[in-house]
Structures are given as structure tokens and as C-alpha cells.
């Protein structure tokens, strides 16, 4: 499809969807970002929608500056997936038992683990770096010191909202019917606590006094505030990655115990709320991807749809006009409150037909109809990624 340029900004804002189809609030946010003096450029993904400060589905390249709102509060949120040697024929006709087993093994929603994860007791989990990782908790913002016990107990837990664990079947191609395991989660409460504290600090800094939106407040390189944010940011991104690694290892072990002779390919993992140091057109920039994945040439990534529509494994094309990025999913087309007003549990049951999942009022806000059409989103970014595999979920666990 290629991109169009949003009018009325100082820095280029390149849009991989119809710019006239972007909701008014989100378009206003994008223009506010595009006039900031530190912004090198913005790439807008086809799943773009309104968010706090910065739009979800935006990739922002800044020079010597960083906006916490352009990362979001769920620092390091992302996806993990692994292909198994199982096929659809290996699965039982009734998948309710498998869903219950997953829910019993991995806490969801607000639940925590009774005892923190001991990496040595999780078969297949990477063992390196755990001691150093937890020792660095003491270096984080002192206002979260009392949250260490909670952070340890939430490691290896799913959370709620749009976070999920799925068992999927590959659709089409030579591996039609192959079983995949997939999950979506982030840095849990500790990432949110760190993000909100640093956002509050940024809003009070004098150089942010005249911004079009105070939620876009930035830290400047070479300042103690920037150093403190980046220290906490890197730790939270690592927490999110380790959180997903624990859950994926637990999930893989659960499947090993239930099925004979299962093997796994190399897992795929990617953040979609994070910061990276990158270089474009000879300029070193800090790239924030809020609801976007890195799609450098050859990079494998995961782009999920909603809980009834399937997902995609993709390979990046390295399109530098988009700062080597792609969408992180289908993207919401209506708020959670609007979804609850619009749809019923009968609608949810109909739209998730064939998927073993919750179909109660507690997840109506996650109904497929509340999201954009994932096939349209994929069609709008053919110059950003190529599709490696199309997956359709048969089990979906939500918090």
C-alpha cells in the first residue's frame, strides 16, 4: 500500500492507513507529536487509535529526547509464540480441559503466584541473569521499593485486559493444521507504577511547560531525569521479557505433560511497547514503539488479531520510512465502554464460535467486533512485513 503524509506537522508523519479514516482524537495527537521540536519523524501503523498522550500504533523517532507517554504504561508489553510438532489431529475434540489446565498453571487477571517463580524449578527456562536482574530492583525509583514482593509474585502471570494465552492452528501452506502456542503480556503492575511516576516527573519539567499536550512531556538526554527513566525503563522491559519467558516455558511443559512426543521450534518473541536506540539517515535516534513491533529486514514478529479472528507470524522487510516497524495487532475500533454498550454475551458467543474461551460479560469488551479487521490491517502493511504463517486460535485464555 505504501504511506501518505499527514498534513500540518513540522516533522514528517507517515501514515500506513487512510489518514482521513483516523479518529479525530488520534489525528490530533499525531499532529501534536509531529510539531514537537525533538521529533525526527513519526510512522503511523494501520492499527492506530487514540491513547494517553501518544497514539497507540505510533512509532516516534526523537533526537536526544524521550517521551514516557510514547512508550505507554505497560512497558515492554509484547508477544511470544512457538510452533509445536503437534497437529490438529493430536488435539482432543473437547478443549475445555486444556483451557482449564492452562488457567490452573498460569495466574490470570489480578491474581499473583503464592510463591515467586524459582527459575531452577521451571524446565526449559533460561537460567542466566536472574540474580543480577533482581538485585537491580534496589536501583529503581525509590517510590516503588515496597512493590518488590508483588513484582516477584506477579512474574509469570498473565494479567487482564487484552492479554491472552492461545493454542492456535496454522492455516494453509505445507504446515496446515500445525499447533502453535502464543501469549501476550507485559510488565504487569510494576511497569505501570514506574511509567506513571516518571510521566508525573516529566510533566513538571520547565521545558515541557508550553507543549500542546502535557502528557507528551519529554526527558532530555544528559539530565538526571532522563538517566533515571532509562534505568527503570530497561529494567521493566527486561521484566516483561522474562515474564513472557516464564509463562511460555510453563505452557510448553504443560503441553509436554499432556501429549506424547511433542517437540518445539525456536520461540519467537517481540516487544510492542518499548524504546530502542537506532540510526536512520545518519542520525542517532531514540525510537519509541507504542503498539508497534520492530520489522527490520528478516526480523520475525507476531501480529495478533482479536480473540476470534486469528493472528499472523511475519517477517520484516526493513522499511526505513516506517523506522523498520509494523503494527502490533488489529487495533481497537471502539473503546471498552462502547463495546460493552454495543454487544451482548450472545454476540460474544457468536463471534467466538469454535474457540474454547470465556463467553461471559467480563470479556465482552474484548469481543472481535470491538477491533479492526485484521485482514485489512495486514493488507495495509504489505510493504512493511511478509506473512510467514496465518494462525487461527482454538483455545483462548483471558484474564
Amino acid at each position: 500500500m505504501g504511506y501518505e503524509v499527514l498534513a500540518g506537522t513540522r516533522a514528517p508523519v507517515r501514515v500506513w492507513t487512510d489518514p482521513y479514516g483516523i479518529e479525530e482524537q488520534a489525528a490530533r495527537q499525531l499532529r501534536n507529536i509531529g510539531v514537537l521540536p525533538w521529533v525526527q519523524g513519526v510512522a503511523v501503523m494501520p492499527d492506530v487509535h487514540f491513547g494517553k498522550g501518544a497514539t497507540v500504533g505510533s512509532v516516534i523517532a526523537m533526537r536526544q529526547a524521550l517521551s514516557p507517554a510514547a512508550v505507554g504504561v505497560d512497558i515492554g508489553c509484547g508477544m511470544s509464540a512457538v510452533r509445536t510438532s503437534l497437529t490438529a489431529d493430536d488435539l482432543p475434540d473437547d478443549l475445555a480441559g486444556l483451557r482449564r489446565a492452562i488457567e490452573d498453571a498460569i495466574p490470570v487477571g489480578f491474581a499473583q503466584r503464592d510463591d515467586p517463580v524459582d527459575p531452577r524449578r521451571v524446565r526449559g527456562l533460561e537460567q542466566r541473569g536472574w540474580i543480577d536482574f533482581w538485585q537491580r530492583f534496589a536501583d529503581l525509583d525509590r517510590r516503588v521499593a515496597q512493590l518488590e514482593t508483588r513484582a516477584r509474585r506477579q512474574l509469570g502471570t498473565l494479567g487482564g485486559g487484552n492479554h491472552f494465552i492461545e493454542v492456535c492452528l496454522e492455516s494453509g501452506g505445507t504446515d496446515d493444521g500445525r499447533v502453535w502456542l502464543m501469549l501476550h503480556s507485559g510488565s504487569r503492575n510494576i511497569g505501570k507504577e514506574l511509567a506513571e511516576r516518571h510521566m508525573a516527573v516529566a510533566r513538571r519539567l520547565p521545558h515541557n511547560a508550553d507543549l500542546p499536550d502535557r502528557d507528551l512531556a519529554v526527558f532530555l538526554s544528559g539530565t538526571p531525569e532522563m538517566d533515571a527513566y532509562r534505568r527503570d525503563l530497561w529494567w521493566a522491559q527486561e521484566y516483561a521479557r522474562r515474564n513472557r519467558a516464564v509463562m511460555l516455558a510453563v505452557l510448553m511443559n504443560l503441553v509436554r505433560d499432556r501429549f506424547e512426543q511433542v517437540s518445539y521450534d525456536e520461540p519467537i518473541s517481540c516487544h510492542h511497547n518499548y524504546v530502542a536506540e537506532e540510526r536512520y539517515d545518519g542520525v542517532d535516534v531514540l525510537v519509541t514503539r507504542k503498539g508497534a513491533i520492530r520489522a527490520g529486514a528478516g526480523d520475525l514478529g507476531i501480529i495478533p488479531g482479536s480473540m476470534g479472528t486469528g493472528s499472523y507470524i511475519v517477517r520484516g522487510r526493513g522499511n526505513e520510512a516506517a523506522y523498520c516497524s509494523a503494527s502490533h495487532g488489529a487495533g481497537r475500533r471502539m473503546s471498552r465502554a462502547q463495546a460493552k454498550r454495543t454487544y451482548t454475551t450472545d454476540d460474544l458467543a457468536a463471534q467466538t464460535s469454535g474457540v474454547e474461551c470465556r463467553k461471559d460479560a467480563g470479556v465482552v469488551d474484548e469481543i472481535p467486533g470491538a477491533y479492526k479487521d485484521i485482514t485489512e490491517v495486514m493488507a495495509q502493511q504489505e510493504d512493511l512485513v511478509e506473512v510467514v504463517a496465518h494462525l487461527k486460535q482454538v483455545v483462548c485464555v483471558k484474564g
Side-chain angles (χ1 to χ4, degrees):
M1 170 187 168
Y3 64 85
E4 296 190 42
V5 178
L6 192 69
T9 64
R10 181 194 58 78
V13 178
R14 307 181 187 101
V15 181
W16 269 262
T17 188
D18 177 7
Y20 298 102
I22 299 174
E23 59 187 314
E24 183 179 348
Q25 284 180 301
R28 187 182 307 116
Q29 283 185 328
L30 292 170
R31 290 190 172 90
N32 287 341
I33 295 165
V35 300
L36 297 181
W38 310 278
V39 173
Q40 181 79 2
V42 183
V44 182
M45 300 295 101
D47 60 341
V48 62
H49 58 278
F50 177 74
K52 182 175 176 59
T55 44
V56 179
S58 61
V59 182
I60 305 170
M62 285 192 178
R63 302 177 306 276
Q64 303 296 309
L66 185 54
S67 171
V71 182
V73 295
D74 193 358
I75 298 171
C77 187
M79 301 284 304
S80 293
V82 63
R83 187 170 67 169
T84 81
S85 59
L86 300 173
T87 67
D89 292 339
D90 296 312
L91 298 178
D93 293 335
D94 186 353
L95 294 168
L98 180 57
R99 177 165 77 98
R100 286 193 297 271
I102 295 171
E103 291 169 341
D104 288 343
I106 299 174
V108 302
F110 292 106
Q112 305 176 24
R113 293 184 175 274
D114 294 334
D115 298 303
V117 168
D118 181 348
R120 296 168 298 180
R121 298 174 66 93
V122 182
R123 179 176 41 163
L125 182 62
E126 172 61 56
Q127 297 296 305
R128 292 176 296 183
W130 284 96
I131 294 175
D132 174 71
F133 169 70
W134 282 117
Q135 285 178 339
R136 283 188 281 125
F137 191 96
D139 298 328
L140 301 179
D141 189 302
R142 58 180 176 78
R143 294 168 295 177
V144 302
Q146 77 280 8
L147 299 178
E148 182 173 0
T149 298
R150 180 175 183 177
R152 285 180 177 269
R153 289 180 174 170
Q154 285 194 318
L155 188 80
T157 67
L158 185 65
N162 62 357
H163 293 168
F164 63 78
I165 298 169
E166 290 183 342
V167 179
C168 306
L169 300 180
E170 193 165 338
S171 176
T174 58
D175 287 311
D176 185 62
R178 185 75 75 89
V179 175
W180 286 70
L181 308 178
M182 179 182 293
L183 60 87
H184 171 212
S185 191
S187 52
R188 304 297 283 109
N189 177 257
I190 188 63
K192 174 179 180 292
E193 293 287 343
L194 288 168
E196 290 179 342
R197 281 161 171 74
H198 286 288
M199 287 177 180
V201 170
R203 281 194 291 268
R204 294 194 296 268
L205 295 175
H207 62 260
N208 292 317
D210 297 324
L211 296 182
D213 181 351
R214 291 297 295 275
D215 283 331
L216 284 174
V218 305
F219 294 122
L220 302 180
S221 294
T223 63
E225 293 86 2
M226 171 71 104
D227 292 343
Y229 177 60
R230 292 186 63 171
R231 175 201 64 212
D232 292 358
L233 174 79
W234 301 143
W235 187 90
Q237 288 181 182
E238 184 175 351
Y239 181 99
R241 178 181 63 79
R242 290 182 181 273
N243 182 44
R244 290 193 298 274
V246 169
M247 286 189 286
L248 189 62
V250 169
L251 185 60
M252 291 165 68
N253 290 334
L254 183 154
V255 171
R256 278 194 189 99
D257 292 340
R258 294 179 73 90
F259 300 93
E260 295 181 1
Q261 299 179 330
V262 60
S263 61
Y264 296 100
D265 291 353
E266 188 68 23
I268 302 167
S269 183
C270 57
H271 290 320
H272 53 227
N273 283 7
Y274 77 112
V275 177
E277 298 172 338
E278 297 178 2
R279 185 176 179 86
Y280 296 94
D281 297 324
V283 179
D284 292 324
V285 288
L286 288 167
V287 177
T288 55
R289 294 183 175 93
K290 181 179 182 179
I293 62 171
R294 177 168 171 81
D299 288 346
L300 289 176
I302 308 163
I303 302 178
S306 61
M307 62 191 288
T309 58
S311 302
Y312 292 85
I313 306 298
V314 299
R315 181 178 291 109
R317 297 188 185 275
N319 189 328
E320 294 198 0
Y323 299 107
C324 295
S325 305
S327 77
H328 83 312
R332 297 193 72 92
R333 69 181 186 90
M334 63 175 65
S335 69
R336 295 184 182 279
Q338 184 182 354
K340 289 178 179 178
R341 292 193 299 267
T342 304
Y343 295 107
T344 67
T345 53
D346 288 341
D347 296 323
L348 178 63
Q351 293 185 26
T352 59
S353 177
V355 181
E356 173 58 46
C357 63
R358 288 177 58 187
K359 302 179 191 286
D360 57 79
V363 291
V364 166
D365 57 343
E366 282 293 298
I367 192 171
Y371 284 83
K372 298 178 182 179
D373 185 336
I374 186 64
T375 58
E376 292 182 7
V377 168
M378 296 304 299
Q380 291 173 325
Q381 54 184 339
E382 290 180 346
D383 60 333
L384 305 183
V385 293
E386 61 174 314
V387 174
V388 174
H390 178 212
L391 311 182
K392 179 66 174 71
Q393 65 271 77
V394 291
V395 176
C396 179
V397 171
K398 298 190 80 70

